[in-house]
Amino acid sequence: MLSVRHYIYDILVEQGVPDITAQYLNMLGLLIGLLIVAFIIDYITKRILWKFSATVASKTKTNFDNILINNKLPRNVAHIIPLIILIEFVPDVFSDFAYFENIVEKTLKIIAILLTLRIIRSFFNSIKDYLKTLPRYKDKPIDSYIQVFMIFAWMLGIFAAFSILTGVTFIKFAISLGTASAVILLIFKDTILGFVASIQVSINDMVRIGDWITFEKYGADGDVIEINLATVKVQNWDKTITTIPTYALISDSFKNWRGMMNSGGRRIKRSVIIKASTIKFLSDEDIERFKNIELISNYLEQRSKEIKKFNTEKGVDKSILINGRNLTNFGIFRKYLQTYMDNHSAINKDMTLMVRQLEPTPQGIPMEIYAFSSDIRWENYEYIIGDVFDHVLASVKYFDLEIYELAI
C-alpha cells in the first residue's frame, strides 16, 4: 500500500521534480483518482438499486415500495458505498498531509451524518405518504409526528457533528448540554407546545384534516388542509389561507362543524319580524277566507269547530271578539309555516323542526323558523334558505300581517 500511496511521488522525484511539489502532485493525483472511482461506484450502485427497486415494486401489491422510490430512498442509500470508500482511503490520499487528512476526514463524517439524516427523512416521508393513502389515517395529523421524529433525528445529528468537530465523545457532549437545558427548552418552546398539542388533538379527535372549523381569534373559517407540529393551515371560503398555532387548538376556543357535517342536516335558524299592530283576533268571515289556503284548510275546519263548541257550551258572549276562545292571524300564520316546513322536500324531518314565536322586540314580534336542511353543501343550503324565506315573505300579506321595515 505504501508503494501505491507514493507511486506518483516516486515517478516525479525520479524526473527531478522538487520533493514538496511531488508530494502535492501525488496527493492531487490520488484524490482525483479516488473521486473518479467513487463517482463510478456511485453511478453503478445507483443504477443497480434503482432497477432492483423498480423490479420489486412492479411485482408487489402494495404501493409502499413505489412511494419509497418517489421519495428517492434507493438513490440516497446508493451514496453510502461511495462515501465509505472515500472515508476508508482518505488516509492514503493525505498520508503526507496530516492536517488536511484530519479536515477532510471530519468533513466526510459530517457528510455521512447528513446523508443518514437524508435517508431517515426519505423513509419517514414515505411512511407519511403511505399512511395518507389509507382511509384510517387520511385525516390524522401524521405530519406532526413525522416532524417530531425528524427533530429528534436532527438533534442527534447535530450533537454527533459537534462531537466530531470538537473531539469530545458524543455522550460527554450530550451531558454537557444538560446545563443549557433551560435555554434549549426556551428555543424549542413552540415545538414542544406544538408536539403536546398535536398529541392531544389526535387522541381527543378534536380536529381532522378536512374538518370545517371557525376560529374567530385568528380569522379562520374554512377547511383544515394541513396539521403539522407548529401550525394548522385552514383554507377559508374565500380561498385565502389562515395559519393557526397548533397549541391554540387546546388553549383557545374554536368551533368544529364536523358534527353538523356528519349529522346529515345543516341548521336553519332565521326569523321575520311581524308588526305587532297587525296581529288580531279572527272573525268568522276571516276564518272562512283563510280556509281557501289549502295547507291549513283542514286545520281551520277542525279548530274552528272545537272553539265554537267550547264557546257555546260556556255561553260566551261573542258580540265582543275578545271573549272566549279565539284564533289569531298570527297563530294561523305560525301553523301555516309549520305545515309548509313539514311538507318541504329539502328539510330533514328526522331532526328538530319547529316554527316559534320569540320574545317581543321594539320592532315587533319575531317569528323564527328552526329546522335543518337535508343538503349540507353550502351553495345548496343557501338556495334552500332563500327558497323557504322567499315563500315566507310573500305569504305574510295573505294573513293580514305586515313585516317590520325601518322607516328612514
Side-chain angles (χ1 to χ4, degrees):
M1 180 61 69
L2 185 61
S3 58
V4 174
R5 289 181 181 179
H6 295 91
Y7 179 75
I8 300 176
Y9 171 81
D10 293 338
I11 294 177
L12 293 174
V13 169
E14 290 178 0
Q15 297 297 323
V17 177
D19 188 67
I20 297 298
T21 304
Q23 287 181 349
Y24 276 105
L25 292 175
N26 181 76
M27 177 194 69
L28 183 61
L30 292 175
L31 180 60
I32 293 174
L34 180 60
L35 291 175
I36 292 173
V37 171
F39 177 79
I40 294 173
I41 293 176
D42 180 75
Y43 178 79
I44 294 173
T45 307
K46 184 166 57 178
R47 296 291 297 178
I48 292 173
L49 279 178
W50 184 85
K51 288 185 177 180
F52 175 77
S53 301
T55 302
V56 172
S58 64
K59 295 181 178 180
T60 57
K61 295 181 179 180
T62 179
N63 65 338
F64 182 64
D65 36 26
N66 295 314
I67 295 174
L68 289 174
I69 295 174
N70 291 336
N71 282 290
K72 301 178 181 180
L73 183 64
R75 175 187 289 185
N76 293 331
V77 172
H79 296 317
I80 294 177
I81 295 177
L83 188 59
I84 292 175
I85 291 175
L86 287 173
I87 294 174
E88 182 67 25
F89 287 98
V90 157
D92 296 323
V93 173
F94 296 95
S95 58
D96 297 325
F97 302 91
Y99 177 75
F100 290 132
E101 177 187 347
N102 183 49
I103 294 176
V104 174
E105 191 170 0
K106 287 183 177 181
T107 302
L108 290 175
K109 287 180 179 180
I110 292 175
I111 292 174
I113 293 172
L114 295 175
L115 177 60
T116 303
L117 291 172
R118 191 171 180 180
I119 292 172
I120 293 173
R121 185 185 65 180
S122 297
F123 180 70
F124 281 149
N125 284 340
S126 299
I127 293 177
K128 177 189 68 176
D129 294 341
Y130 175 69
L131 291 178
K132 285 185 175 181
T133 63
L134 304 179
R136 182 179 177 184
Y137 299 99
K138 199 169 184 179
D139 55 359
K140 298 295 186 293
I142 304 299
D143 291 338
S144 298
Y145 300 112
I146 297 300
Q147 287 177 344
V148 169
F149 291 139
M150 284 307 303
I151 285 174
F152 281 115
W154 273 102
M155 288 179 65
L156 292 175
I158 291 172
F159 291 168
F162 273 107
S163 176
I164 291 171
L165 292 173
T166 59
V168 180
T169 61
F170 180 83
I171 296 177
K172 288 183 178 180
F173 185 80
I175 292 174
S176 65
L177 289 176
T179 57
S181 58
V183 177
I184 294 175
L185 289 174
L186 182 62
I187 293 174
F188 292 100
K189 181 189 71 172
D190 290 340
T191 301
I192 295 170
L193 289 174
F195 175 55
V196 174
S198 296
I199 294 176
Q200 289 184 308
V201 166
S202 179
I203 292 176
N204 298 323
D205 199 20
M206 297 169 62
V207 177
R208 302 175 188 169
I209 294 174
D211 281 356
W212 168 19
I213 68 170
T214 301
F215 210 139
E216 294 182 359
K217 180 177 178 180
Y218 293 93
D221 185 14
D223 291 333
V224 176
I225 59 175
E226 182 180 332
I227 303 175
N228 55 45
L229 190 61
T231 60
V232 174
K233 290 184 179 179
V234 178
Q235 185 175 52
N236 301 309
W237 300 123
D238 59 0
K239 300 305 179 183
T240 58
I241 303 295
T242 298
T243 302
I244 303 170
T246 305
Y247 58 80
L249 296 177
I250 60 175
S251 62
D252 295 312
S253 177
F254 68 97
K255 183 183 291 185
N256 191 330
W257 296 85
R258 188 199 312 159
M260 179 274 293
M261 303 293 286
N262 294 338
S263 68
R266 187 167 180 177
R267 189 180 71 171
I268 298 172
K269 186 176 182 294
R270 187 177 293 184
S271 61
V272 291
I273 299 178
I274 304 299
K275 291 175 65 174
S277 60
T278 62
I279 299 175
K280 65 179 183 177
F281 292 119
L282 297 180
S283 64
D284 291 340
E285 292 77 12
D286 292 329
I287 292 175
E288 290 301 319
R289 179 162 51 90
F290 290 157
K291 283 182 181 179
N292 294 322
I293 302 175
E294 292 182 353
L295 287 181
I296 56 171
S297 59
N298 292 334
Y299 169 79
L300 285 175
E301 187 70 35
Q302 179 182 353
R303 191 67 174 156
S304 60
K305 287 180 180 179
E306 292 175 358
I307 292 174
K308 283 182 179 181
K309 181 180 178 181
F310 175 85
N311 290 336
T312 301
E313 290 177 351
K314 297 297 182 181
V316 176
D317 179 12
K318 292 304 295 178
S319 61
I320 301 177
L321 200 56
I322 192 174
N323 291 336
R325 294 174 61 182
N326 295 281
L327 293 172
T328 66
N329 59 344
F330 196 52
I332 295 300
F333 181 55
R334 184 173 68 251
K335 179 62 180 178
Y336 172 81
L337 293 182
Q338 182 71 48
T339 307
Y340 172 75
M341 295 300 292
D342 288 336
N343 288 277
H344 199 294
S345 60
I347 300 300
N348 191 325
K349 309 305 187 303
D350 297 325
M351 304 181 74
T352 304
L353 171 56
M354 61 180 174
V355 178
R356 59 179 180 168
Q357 173 184 325
L358 301 182
E359 183 177 354
T361 69
Q363 290 75 34
I365 316 298
M367 181 75 79
E368 181 184 77
I369 292 178
Y370 191 102
F372 289 83
S373 66
S374 56
D375 195 330
I376 62 175
R377 291 172 294 180
W378 190 9
E379 183 178 354
N380 295 348
Y381 165 76
E382 293 292 346
Y383 177 82
I384 293 168
I385 291 181
D387 180 68
V388 167
F389 278 88
D390 285 348
H391 186 87
V392 171
L393 295 171
S395 62
V396 169
K397 62 183 179 181
Y398 290 92
F399 296 88
D400 300 332
L401 295 168
E402 293 182 18
I403 294 176
Y404 170 78
E405 294 182 355
L406 178 63
I408 300 177

